[in-house]
Amino acid sequence: MVATGAPEKKYISKFPMMGTIVSLTLFEKNPDVVNDVNDYLVKMDAVFSANRDDSELSKVNQAAGLHPVTVSRSCYELVADALTYTNRFADSFNVLIGPLVKTWKIGFGGRQVPDDSQIDRALKLIEPGKVTLNPQDHTIFLRDRGMQLDLGAIAKGYFADRIIERLKNAGIRNAIINLGGNVQVLGDNPFSNDLYWNIGIRDPEREDGSSAAIVHTKAQTFVTSGIRERYFKANGHVYHHILSPATGYPVNNDIIQVTIITANSELAEVLSTVCFFHGVAGGKAIIEKTPGVEAIFINQQNQLIHTSGLIKISKGVYLNE
């Protein structure tokens, strides 16, 4: 049985974008809204893509050590947010990590471990204090040659929050936006008696898209970080893409995957990285002290550990009230 007045259909639109497949689920037919979301993502790709030489982000990086670059409000806003989080979580989140990502190339064809001299050179270029922002002119200046902004650990969250705003402004009451590793839901689930959503937490041990757990929840955002998506093996070791700004090497601890559950998708993106760095115990302690945020960790033994705000109601099913 579904809720009274529930729609008979859902309408799923998919866009190949930003290295993933973005999907938008509506519960009413509205091509104008679908086109608006697609147009927004195309615009954001032109602003933030690290793989386009003509994007605003690339122009800022290309001008490192030379001159400030005037950017759009969206670009300035996200870079400013990312720098704020970098200063707040200096041990685990760094928006200047671009030179280190480029050195390893994990997920971009990299299959070799860089030598110590390469890593040392990259580490010297990730100092956030060497970024100058001008809020009046919306300019960004990276003061040393070779510095690079990398917004991969926050951008999807920013996009998801803006898309939800656009859907609300268009009169959409219920929706799901999935940006690959980032799922945000709007409003009530029209196919559920209690109007809650069932959101799957992916199983990192399987490649068929099956879930390790289900969270029964009101509208929230779910952001997952893990080591099973982008990695390579060399000399008997696995090297994944979550790199430490302190050591220059992939983080090595007891976590395979962490999922953050909260209302703000940008914050969830940042916390998923921060908690990964701190391990299960440390990450859980951070979330327990952060109001309105919950988390599910999967450790190296494939065990699920959850924060106290989630209630296990049956095998593999959690209630988030």
Side-chain angles (χ1 to χ4, degrees):
M1 181 182 295
V2 299
T4 303
E8 295 181 358
K9 295 182 179 180
K10 56 184 178 181
Y11 300 86
I12 302 175
S13 303
K14 295 186 178 182
F15 325 102
M17 197 81 62
M18 303 174 187
T20 188
I21 301 297
V22 175
S23 71
L24 171 67
T25 301
L26 301 178
F27 299 89
E28 58 186 83
K29 197 170 185 178
N30 196 323
D32 290 340
V33 166
V34 173
N35 290 333
D36 178 69
V37 170
N38 181 70
D39 291 346
Y40 171 75
L41 289 170
V42 169
K43 180 180 178 180
M44 290 301 96
D45 187 60
V47 173
F48 293 110
S49 176
N51 300 316
R52 292 177 52 166
D53 290 339
D54 62 344
S55 73
E56 289 186 28
L57 183 66
S58 291
K59 290 178 180 178
V60 172
N61 290 338
Q62 292 161 11
L66 299 175
H67 57 79
V69 175
T70 301
V71 298
S72 63
R73 177 180 176 180
S74 294
C75 187
Y76 186 89
E77 185 176 77
L78 181 50
V79 170
D81 284 356
L83 281 168
T84 297
Y85 286 121
T86 296
N87 291 321
R88 179 180 172 186
F89 301 109
D91 61 344
S92 51
F93 183 89
N94 191 314
V95 70
L96 274 304
I97 205 166
L100 198 57
V101 173
K102 188 175 181 180
T103 297
W104 280 89
K105 299 180 182 178
I106 300 174
F108 302 96
R111 289 291 183 271
Q112 293 183 338
V113 179
D115 60 40
D116 289 343
S117 63
Q118 292 175 296
I119 291 176
D120 288 342
R121 283 197 297 270
L123 288 175
K124 291 176 182 177
L125 295 171
I126 63 173
E127 174 51 57
K130 293 186 177 181
V131 181
T132 301
L133 301 180
N134 185 317
Q136 285 74 39
D137 298 331
H138 279 184
T139 62
I140 303 172
F141 182 33
L142 310 181
R143 298 204 295 269
D144 287 352
R145 290 289 288 167
M147 292 179 69
Q148 289 189 352
L149 293 164
D150 187 317
L151 297 167
I154 189 173
K156 286 182 182 179
Y158 177 85
F159 302 152
D161 288 334
R162 301 292 84 75
I163 290 170
I164 291 297
E165 290 176 0
R166 299 176 84 87
L167 294 177
K168 289 179 179 178
N169 291 338
I172 299 298
R173 295 178 297 172
N174 316 302
I176 306 168
I177 181 74
N178 186 338
L179 288 91
N182 180 313
V183 175
Q184 187 159 357
V185 289
L186 169 66
D188 299 325
N189 180 356
F191 291 108
S192 169
N193 283 330
D194 62 5
L195 303 180
Y196 271 36
W197 303 87
N198 290 319
I199 305 297
I201 306 298
R202 66 187 179 200
D203 188 338
E205 294 295 315
R206 302 182 64 174
E207 298 182 358
D208 59 1
S210 59
S211 298
I214 301 292
V215 180
H216 193 61
T217 180
K218 59 185 178 182
Q220 296 272 40
T221 186
F222 285 66
V223 173
T224 298
S225 289
I227 64 175
R228 296 296 169 83
E229 289 184 341
R230 287 188 281 155
Y231 66 91
F232 69 86
K233 297 179 180 180
N235 304 319
H237 295 279
V238 175
Y239 297 92
H240 59 79
H241 72 289
I242 303 178
L243 304 172
S244 169
T247 68
Y249 284 85
V251 180
N252 183 20
N253 59 23
D254 59 345
I255 291 183
I256 292 179
Q257 178 178 295
V258 57
T259 298
I260 303 297
I261 307 164
T262 190
N264 183 284
S265 195
E266 182 180 293
L267 174 63
E269 288 277 358
V270 174
L271 288 178
S272 69
T273 297
V274 171
C275 287
F276 194 98
F277 270 78
H278 286 267
V280 173
K284 185 179 178 183
I286 290 171
I287 299 304
E288 295 287 11
K289 294 186 293 186
T290 307
V293 183
E294 303 299 335
I296 293 179
F297 301 86
I298 300 181
N299 66 16
Q300 295 283 356
Q301 290 73 46
N302 213 39
Q303 298 170 318
L304 275 68
I305 300 95
H306 62 89
T307 48
S308 59
L310 295 173
I311 303 169
K312 191 170 185 179
I313 56 178
S314 66
K315 184 177 181 181
V317 180
Y318 299 82
L319 173 65
N320 179 32
E321 296 182 310

